[in-house]
Amino acid sequence: MTRHPESPEYPEDLEQPGLVRTGRSTFIRPIRPDDADRLVDFVGQLSRATLAFRSLGPVVRARDEVIRRGAHVDYLNELALVALAGDDIVGLVRYLRDAERPDHAEVTFTIRDDHQSEGFGRLLLEHIAAAARDRGIRVLEADLLTDNVRMINVFLGSGYRVETGPPGQILHFDIAIDPQAEAVARAERREHTAVRRSLRPLLEPRSVAVVGANRSPLTIGHEIVANLLRGGFPGSVFPVNPHADEIAGARAYPSVRELPESPDLVLVAVRAEAVPGVVRECAEAGVKAVVVVSTGFGETGPDGRAAELELARFARASGMRLVGPNCMGVVNTSSGARLAATFSPALPAPGRVAMSSQSGPLGLTVLDLARRLRLGFSGFVSVGHSVDVSTNDLLQWWDEDPGTSVILLHVEHFGDPRRFARIARRVAPRKPIVAVHPGHADTAVDSLFAQSGVIRTRSLQELFDVALLLSHQPPPLGNRVAVLTNAGGPAALTVGACAASGLRVASLGDRTRQTLRSALAPQAEVANPVDLTPTATAAHYRQALDAVLADDEVDAAIVLFMPPLADKADEVASAILDAASAQPSKPVVTSFLGGAGVADLLRRGELVVPTYAFPESAAASLGHAAAYEAWRSRPAGFVPDLDGIDTERARALLAGLSAGSVPASVARELLGCYGIDVSDVSDETGSGPGRDAFLRVDADPVFGPVVAFGLTGDYADLMADVAYRVTPLSDRDAREMIRSLRAAPLLDGRVGGPGVDLAALEETVLRISAMVEDLPEIESMDLRPVRLAPPGEGVAVTRAEIRLCEPKSREAV
C-alpha cells in the first residue's frame, strides 16, 4: 500500500526511552505537527556556531513559519526524531529520502548547545538508523564541516561502515546502516555504561525522600522511612508530609520543593491520582530516580496502563529513572549503600545473591523466605509493572557489582526478550542467572533461557534451592554424583531424583572402595550409593566423604542423614564441614531428614553446606548447577558470515509483494537468495536413503522469529519431539538445536543406519536464521519435507511456504 504525506500515520513504535552516555534519561519519539512551537523554541536556543554546523556555512536564521514546517513529515520519505528533556526538544535528527535512489537518504543532526558532549548524537544515530532500515533505507548520507569534530567522531565511532569523500572544507559521509557486528558491539558497550550510570542514583543514592510518609506505624509510608533509618542508610532521609513535623524520628517536610536539598531518590506512596503531580514536582526539583510504590495503575485496566506509560514517558523525558508502579521498593545491602527503601517487614541479611521481582506482593514472600533460609542478599529490586527500569537494566548493574555472585529473577513477561537474551549471554558465563517463570508449555521461553545460559526453575522454592547451592558451593564440573546415606530408602529416592535431574550415580574406583571397606563397618555397602548403615558415626561420615570426594570419577556429593539419635546431628554436620573444606572444588549438598535447625549446624564462617528438607530437592538443585556448568564450559557460539547471500535481491523481491502468502516461485527465489535450493521433487519424498524433516519459523509476538525443527511423522505428531530456538542463531545454537531431539541418534548414526549430513543441516538452519533476521517482513515459513541425505550428500528442501506480515518497510516511495 502507499501512504500519502497528506495523511501520514504516526509511528508509535518509534516512541522509545533512551539513555545518553552520561546516564541521563531521555525520551525519543517522532516529531509531530503539534511540535511546531517547540521546534521554534529549539532553534531559537541554538548558538551561531551550532547553526553554522547545521547549515554548513554562514548563519542565516530561518523565519518561524519555515521552522514550523519541519514538524510536518510523512514518516516514510521524511522522518524526524526528537530527544526530549521534559517538554523541550534538546536533540533532533532528520532524514530525507533520495527520490532517485530510494535506498539512500540525507541525514542531519542538531543538538542543543547545553546538551552537546553528552552522547545525544550517538543515541539519535542508533535510533534513526533502525527506523531507516525498517523503511528500506540502506545508506545515510551526511555532509559535515571539518570543524564539526563531535559529529565526525560520532560517525567514525559508530561501528557502521563509513566512507568519506575527498578532503575539503566539507566532508561527505556515506554510512551503511545494515547491522554490523562492530556497530552492535559498540552500541551495547555504550548502552551498558549509560544504564549503570543512570541506576546509580537509584541503588546508591546520597539522599532519599519519601512522599506519602505517614505518622502511623504499620502503614506503607511510615515503614519505608523506618526501614531506611533502621537499616543504617548513611545519607539524608526526608519524610514528606504536609501535616507532620516528624516521622519515625526524622524531620518531615511539606513537599519535595521545600526539601533542603534535591534528593537522588524519591519513593512515592500516595494515591494513584496524586502520583503524576508528585513525579512532576520531582522533575522540577532535579530528582534523578523515582520509585512508585502506589497501586491503581496497569492492574486496573487499559486506562491505568495508559496512565503508567505516560508517567514513564514523562519521567524519562525529565531525566529520571522510574521503578514501578505497584512495587515494594529497592534494597542494597552493600556497606557503602545500606539502602532499605522498602516497606517489607522482613529485611534480608547481607549476602551475595541479588534478585529482581516483577510482582510487588510476591516480594514480601520472597524476602521472608530468604530470611528463613538464611540466604543473604546483596540487592533486591521489586520492579512492579516495570514501565521503565526493567530486569534487563538490573542485570547490567549486577553484572559489574563485586558483591553479587548469583542473580535471581522472577519474570512474568519480557519487555524486550532479544535484549534480555543478549545481556544474559554476556552475564551468565561469569555469574549464574536463575529465573522462575510461570507456565509450562511455553517452548519459546525454554528456548530463550537455554540459549542464554539461564537456569529456569518452576517454583519459588526451586529458585531458592538452586540459589542456596550456587551462592555457597561451586557448580560441579560434571554430572557424576556420589550418594552417602545411613538409610537405604532415602538413598533409593535420591538415585531416582538424580536420574530425573540429568545426574548419574558415579562408579567408584577400586582404590575408593578399598578405602571405604577399611574405614567402615563390615555391613556397610561400599558401592554407590554408599550405605553407612544406621550405626554410622560422625567419623564414618568424615572418612567416607573424604574418600568419595578424592575420587576422580566423582564431581559432587549428596549426603543423607536420618538421625537415629538427636544428639548426633551436630557431630555429623561438623564432619561434613571438615570434609567439604578439604575439597573446596567439589560441591557438597545434604539432606538431614527430620532434622530441625540443621542449617545453622552446617555453617562455619564463610563455609556453608546447603541442606534440604528432602533429597529430591538436593538432587534437582545439583542437576541445575551441573547443566549450567556444562553450558558455561562449552565454546561460545558466534553468528557466522555465510557466503552466497544476496540480501539486496531478496529485498527487491519483497518490495512488490503484499501481506499474505508468497507465490511458490517467489518463495523459491527468496530462499535461493540465501543459498537454499528448493527442488520440485516432492513425489520422491520418502524414497531412497535419508530421513524427512521440517523447518518452521513463526514470528512470536514476544520473542520474534522462533525456529522449529523436527522429524516428520510420529516423532513430532505423537511424541512432540520438536526443538526450538530464537533467532539470531549462532553456530552453537544450530548444533545444539539439532542434537537436542530425542530422535538425534537417528541423525548422527548411533541408531538405524549411517545418519544424515549434519553439517549441511546445520548450515541450512543458519541460513534460515539469517534470512528471517534480514527480512523482518516474514511472518512465517514452513519448509517440509526437508530431505536429509546421508553424510556428504546434503539437504534437499522439496516444498516451501512463506507468509508476509503487514509491511512498513516495503511501502511505495
Side-chain angles (χ1 to χ4, degrees), residues 151-174:
M151 281 310 303
I152 291 174
N153 288 336
V154 166
F155 293 158
L156 296 179
S158 66
Y160 292 120
R161 182 168 52 83
V162 177
E163 296 181 1
T164 59
Q169 185 178 2
I170 296 176
L171 287 177
H172 180 79
F173 290 84
D174 285 339

Side-chain angles (χ1 to χ4, degrees), residues 406-487:
V406 180
I407 300 171
L408 308 184
L409 307 177
H410 165 254
V411 184
E412 293 179 346
H413 57 82
F414 295 94
D416 186 342
R418 289 190 177 185
R419 184 168 171 247
F420 171 82
R422 190 177 70 241
I423 296 169
R425 284 185 179 188
R426 187 176 70 237
V427 177
R430 296 190 302 277
K431 298 183 179 183
I433 302 172
V434 191
V436 58
H437 180 83
H440 299 282
D442 42 1
T443 51
V445 174
D446 284 335
S447 299
L448 180 67
F449 285 163
Q451 284 178 258
S452 307
V454 176
I455 301 169
R456 185 184 183 185
T457 61
R458 302 288 180 172
S459 67
L460 279 177
Q461 184 63 60
E462 189 179 10
L463 178 84
F464 280 101
D465 286 345
V466 177
L468 196 63
L469 189 157
L470 291 174
S471 62
H472 297 303
Q473 295 282 306
L477 298 180
N479 67 343
R480 303 166 300 177
V481 179
V483 179
L484 273 61
T485 182
N486 65 347

Side-chain angles (χ1 to χ4, degrees), residues 187 342 386 580:
T342 175
S386 59

Side-chain angles (χ1 to χ4, degrees), residues 1-11 13-14 30-31 71-81 94-99 101-106 128-140 177 655 777 807-813:
M1 68 179 177
T2 302
R3 190 175 284 161
H4 298 288
E6 60 266 27
S7 57
E9 181 180 339
Y10 179 77
D13 60 300
L14 297 183
I31 204 164
H72 297 266
V73 298
D74 65 9
Y75 304 117
L76 178 63
N77 298 320
E78 183 180 10
L79 174 66
L81 302 178
R94 183 189 304 270
Y95 80 62
L96 183 64
R97 194 189 300 262
D98 188 323
R101 295 179 301 166
D103 60 347
H104 284 58
E106 180 186 3
I128 200 69
R133 281 196 301 268
D134 282 346
R135 286 154 178 79
I137 294 169
R138 303 299 158 214
V139 177
L140 294 176
I177 58 173
E777 303 91 337
K808 67 182 175 184
S809 62
R810 294 175 285 121
E811 298 182 54
V813 297

